[in-house]
């Protein structure tokens, strides 16, 4: 038990749910809305990019991105995200959450807009420009992970902290949904304005020149929601836990939180100085003390996030390929370029609406009732079950009468990813590590997740290719096929269950109680002192 608790932190822990909680959720959540929109919208336009820039008039199939280009376009933002998570996670503990928060948002807005620009019209120039700006877009997105989670956890009360952090992350579902809706609107408008025959009827004419604007508009739209929240991000005060426990400025922490909570809080400068001297508040990330207290926790949060993202991103980024293989999307040659974008967007929007978004909000509703550990175990278990249920009778699902059943089962994998480890792997690292290392450790955990996403994005691209030439895209070597890829993902989810055993339950405890910060040293007794903060929190 953290008996040496500061009054200002006590006040935050026991505060009733107030307007500032919802404000913080929206401000932090819009960053995640943009993150998801930007990361997943690329999957809506990769087939269009192939048609426009890699058109081969002698091919019976529409142009597709070459394997190395497809891997780069799909994966470069994830590489940037990984780097950003490590860098901004560390920087958030050094400079403060708020100061770094503004930098990441500016980077996201600028690079999101610039993703729709290109140098020249040649494939190499366009793809190089796209990859360059998407890397730096990912770098900014990476910073949003540890900072948003840490800010929300440090602002929240202990009773509903899990729901608040999960609500920030749940905005990712709306971002994925918005990507599909924007693509539907843009492609539908262009499809009506510029009529084109299917590829099988007119290879060159199936892709009108105006189609080049579609992917640019879809990608650039991501700058709008992020830009709208910049002013409010800059107005948020620094979190009291950073100001008091890391910057050791008791007066500023009390002043900031008095304004937020609308109560009178005492600046306990002597207590902050005493806490700063205690051994439990001084060990570093690479110390034996950290390894003893939190080493297994960090292993648990990193490995579970790594395994989850292999399955989650491979499934999400390559929905269009899976839907094509089972026949839910028509063959590419039977559509023109713009209509193909519309069909892909419609499929992704339905999956987001039926499986992805509800899963996130089920987590928000239940995380503070049944706990993080239970939700993560349940999620990994059912993801394993549904992956095997799709994979083992895979031929059954490819038959036309069973396509709807396949989509329903596939939606359930997303539902239990989001009512499961996709949310909890984000929540827990923001709760169980000390304030001075919280953003860094969340960044490390998230970066391991993105390493898994990169494995999923690059690996699944090749693994899902069929063994026969007719079953794989141009330029790809033989793979193990969709069926065996789904079996592999099922096995990965099973290992996720095992590593979840290393992750502690954090439900209903204060952050300092979880991390062991501010504990009294053996033999030390604290003089009783009246704390007005606990009394003055609104009931």
């Amino acid at each position: 038990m953290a008996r040496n608790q500061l009054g200002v932190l006590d006040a935050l822990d026991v505060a009733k749910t107030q307007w500032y909680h919802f404000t913080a959720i929206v401000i932090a959540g819009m960053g995640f809305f943009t993150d998801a929109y930007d990361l997943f919208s690329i999957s809506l336009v990769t087939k269009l990019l192939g048609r426009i820039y890699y058109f081969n008039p002698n091919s019976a199939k529409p142009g597709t991105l070459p394997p190395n280009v497809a891997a780069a376009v799909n994966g470069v933002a994830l590489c940037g995200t990984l780097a950003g998570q490590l860098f901004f996670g560390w920087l958030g503990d050094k400079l403060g959450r708020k100061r770094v928060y503004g930098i990441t948002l500016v980077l996201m807005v600028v690079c999101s807009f610039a993703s729709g620009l290109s140098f020249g019209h040649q494939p190499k120039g366009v793809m190089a420009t796209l990859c360059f700006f998407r890397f730096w877009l990912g770098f900014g997105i990476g910073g949003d992970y540890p900072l948003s989670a840490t800010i929300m956890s440090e602002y929240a009360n202990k009773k509903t902290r899990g729901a608040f952090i999960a609500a920030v992350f749940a905005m990712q579902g709306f971002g994925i949904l918005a990507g599909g809706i924007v693509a539907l609107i843009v492609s539908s408008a262009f499809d009506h304005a510029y009529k084109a025959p299917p590829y099988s009827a007119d290879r060159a004419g199936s892709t009108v020149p105006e189609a080049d604007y579609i992917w640019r508009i879809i990608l650039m739209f991501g700058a709008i929601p992020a830009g709208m929240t910049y002013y409010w991000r800059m107005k948020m005060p620094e979190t009291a836990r950073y100001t008091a426990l890391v910057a050791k400025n008791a007066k500023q922490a009390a002043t900031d939180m008095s304004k937020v909570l609308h109560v009178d809080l005492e600046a306990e400068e002597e207590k902050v100085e005493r806490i700063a001297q205690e051994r439990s508040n001084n060990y570093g990330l690479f110390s034996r003390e950290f390894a003893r207290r939190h080493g297994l926790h960090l292993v648990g949060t990193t490995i579970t996030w790594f395994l989850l993202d292999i399955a989650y991103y491979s499934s999400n980024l390559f929905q269009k390929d899976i839907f094509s293989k089972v026949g839910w999307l028509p063959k590419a040659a039977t559509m023109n370029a713009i209509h193909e974008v519309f069909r892909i967007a419609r499929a992704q929007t339905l999956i987001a609406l039926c499986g992805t978004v509800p899963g996130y909000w089920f987590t928000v509703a239940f995380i503070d009732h049944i706990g993080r550990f239970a939700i993560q175990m349940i999620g990994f278990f059912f993801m394993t079950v549904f992956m095997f249920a799709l994979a083992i009778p895979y031929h059954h699902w490819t038959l036309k009468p069973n396509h709807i059943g396949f989509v329903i089962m596939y939606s359930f994998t997303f539902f239990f990813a989001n009512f499961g480890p996709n949310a909890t792997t984000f929540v827990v690292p923001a709760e169980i590590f000390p304030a001075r290392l919280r953003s860094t450790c969340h960044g490390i955990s998230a970066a391991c997740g993105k390493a898994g996403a990169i494995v999923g994005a690059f690996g699944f691209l090749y693994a899902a290719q069929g063994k026969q030439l007719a079953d794989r895209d141009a330029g790809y070597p033989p793979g193990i096929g969709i069926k065996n890829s789904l079996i592999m993902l099922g096995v990965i989810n099973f290992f996720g269950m095992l590593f979840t055993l290393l992750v502690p339950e954090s439900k209903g405890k204060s952050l300092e109680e979880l991390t062991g910060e501010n504990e009294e040293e053996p033999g030390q007794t604290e003089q009783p002192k009246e704390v007005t903060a606990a009394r003055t929190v609104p009931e």
Side-chain angles (χ1 to χ4, degrees):
M1 177 75 179
R3 290 160 290 184
N4 226 3
Q5 186 74 304
L6 290 167
V8 65
L9 305 188
D10 238 354
L12 284 166
D13 279 342
V14 300
K16 296 286 186 182
T17 300
Q18 297 174 39
W19 181 248
Y20 83 88
H21 286 122
F22 296 108
T23 305
I25 289 169
V26 172
I27 294 169
M30 285 310 290
F32 262 88
F33 178 97
T34 307
D35 297 349
Y37 182 96
D38 290 331
L39 285 178
F40 293 113
S41 60
I42 193 68
S43 65
L44 299 165
V45 299
T46 47
K47 285 189 178 288
L48 177 62
L49 290 169
R51 283 186 183 245
I52 296 171
Y53 295 104
Y54 295 91
F55 169 67
N56 180 359
N58 300 317
S59 173
K61 293 182 178 180
T64 57
L65 296 177
N68 59 330
V69 176
V73 168
N74 280 302
V76 71
L78 300 177
C79 296
T81 304
L82 187 154
Q85 286 164 336
L86 292 173
F87 177 71
F88 287 117
W90 168 79
L91 204 62
D93 283 333
K94 296 299 178 187
L95 300 182
R97 289 55 158 134
K98 178 191 171 180
R99 190 181 300 181
V100 182
Y101 214 27
I103 299 170
T104 63
L105 194 70
V106 170
L107 200 54
M108 285 161 58
V109 171
V110 171
C111 294
S112 186
F113 184 80
S115 294
L117 308 175
S118 57
F119 299 131
H121 297 284
Q122 296 304 310
K124 281 188 178 179
V126 174
M127 295 304 144
T129 310
L130 179 62
C131 289
F132 174 81
F133 285 117
R134 281 191 65 77
F135 175 85
W136 290 108
L137 171 64
F139 193 67
I141 288 171
D144 230 47
Y145 274 74
L147 293 168
S148 290
T150 301
I151 286 170
M152 199 65 243
S153 75
E154 292 181 347
Y155 264 114
N157 60 56
K158 63 184 179 182
K159 185 179 178 183
T160 55
R161 185 180 60 239
F164 289 155
I165 305 172
V168 169
F169 194 62
M171 295 298 285
Q172 195 177 66
F174 288 127
I176 296 169
L177 185 62
I181 291 171
V182 169
L184 280 173
I185 293 169
V186 174
S187 59
S188 182
F190 274 78
D191 205 16
H192 281 84
Y194 305 100
K195 299 293 182 184
Y199 184 85
S200 56
D202 183 351
R203 293 177 181 179
S206 66
T207 307
V208 296
E210 291 80 7
D212 194 47
Y213 292 111
I214 294 174
W215 68 269
R216 299 175 191 274
I217 293 169
I218 292 170
L219 296 185
M220 292 168 85
F221 186 85
I224 296 172
M228 288 168 62
T229 60
Y230 181 78
Y231 172 76
W232 287 280
R233 274 201 186 191
M234 293 300 94
K235 281 192 70 178
M236 284 181 80
E238 181 58 84
T239 70
R241 285 181 162 91
Y242 180 85
T243 306
L245 299 178
V246 184
K248 300 175 176 59
N249 188 338
K251 188 175 181 181
Q252 188 63 51
T255 302
D256 287 344
M257 292 306 106
S258 292
K259 292 176 183 176
V260 168
L261 293 168
H262 304 295
V263 296
D264 295 322
L265 295 169
E266 183 183 346
E268 301 167 286
E269 293 177 357
E270 290 182 11
K271 201 169 189 179
V272 167
E273 287 175 17
R274 186 170 68 251
I275 289 169
Q277 303 304 316
E278 291 176 1
R279 188 166 61 92
S280 62
N281 207 29
N282 276 301
Y283 57 84
L285 180 63
F286 300 105
S287 65
R288 286 186 180 180
E289 186 68 10
F290 178 86
R292 182 181 72 81
R293 289 174 179 249
H294 301 293
L296 283 178
H297 298 165
L298 189 59
V299 170
T301 59
T302 53
I303 300 299
T304 52
W305 208 336
F306 174 79
L307 295 171
L308 176 274
D309 272 9
I310 293 176
Y312 187 73
Y313 275 81
S314 59
S315 299
N316 230 324
L317 286 171
F318 302 105
Q319 282 182 36
K320 60 189 185 302
D321 302 303
I322 293 172
F323 290 153
S324 296
K325 291 285 193 302
V326 299
W328 204 48
L329 288 176
K331 290 190 179 298
T334 66
M335 298 180 283
N336 65 47
I338 299 174
H339 191 63
E340 185 176 37
V341 175
F342 178 84
R343 294 298 292 263
I344 292 167
R346 189 175 71 173
Q348 182 162 312
T349 303
L350 282 171
I351 290 290
L353 204 56
C354 299
T356 307
V357 172
Y360 281 116
W361 291 99
F362 264 71
T363 301
V364 174
F366 292 107
I367 192 166
D368 287 312
H369 297 284
I370 63 176
R372 289 75 162 145
F373 179 84
I375 287 177
Q376 188 158 311
M377 285 295 277
I378 290 167
F380 269 128
F381 173 77
F382 280 107
M383 286 174 73
T384 306
V385 168
F386 284 113
M387 284 293 183
F388 284 141
L390 288 171
I392 294 169
Y394 179 70
H395 177 70
H396 167 81
W397 299 116
T398 62
L399 302 176
K400 193 168 185 179
N402 304 321
H403 290 172
I404 299 300
F406 178 90
V407 172
I408 292 169
M409 296 279 281
Y410 194 60
S411 295
F412 272 118
T413 66
F414 283 106
F415 176 83
F416 282 106
N418 295 311
F419 180 46
N422 193 40
T424 53
T425 52
F426 176 80
V427 172
V428 174
E431 300 180 304
I432 62 174
F433 299 109
R436 66 191 177 282
L437 301 171
R438 185 170 291 133
S439 180
T440 303
C441 289
H442 195 286
I444 292 169
S445 302
C448 284
K450 280 298 165 284
I454 292 165
V455 170
F458 287 90
F460 195 84
L461 195 63
Y462 289 87
Q465 301 296 324
K467 295 177 182 177
Q468 304 301 320
L469 186 64
D471 295 332
R472 58 182 190 263
D473 294 327
Y476 285 87
I480 60 174
I482 294 280
K483 175 178 179 173
N484 291 328
S485 297
L486 291 172
I487 290 173
M488 276 181 56
L489 296 180
V491 172
I492 287 166
N493 290 326
F494 175 75
F495 278 102
M497 289 172 61
L498 299 183
F499 279 96
T500 296
L501 298 172
L502 298 177
V503 180
E505 179 56 72
S506 51
K507 180 183 73 166
K509 299 177 182 176
S510 76
L511 295 178
E512 288 67 43
E513 190 179 344
L514 285 163
T515 61
E517 290 173 283
N518 312 344
E519 289 174 343
E520 291 176 359
E521 296 297 323
Q524 180 186 17
T525 57
E526 188 185 0
Q527 295 299 317
K529 185 176 181 180
E530 185 180 351
V531 179
T532 58
R535 290 190 294 104
T536 52
V537 173
E539 289 298 327

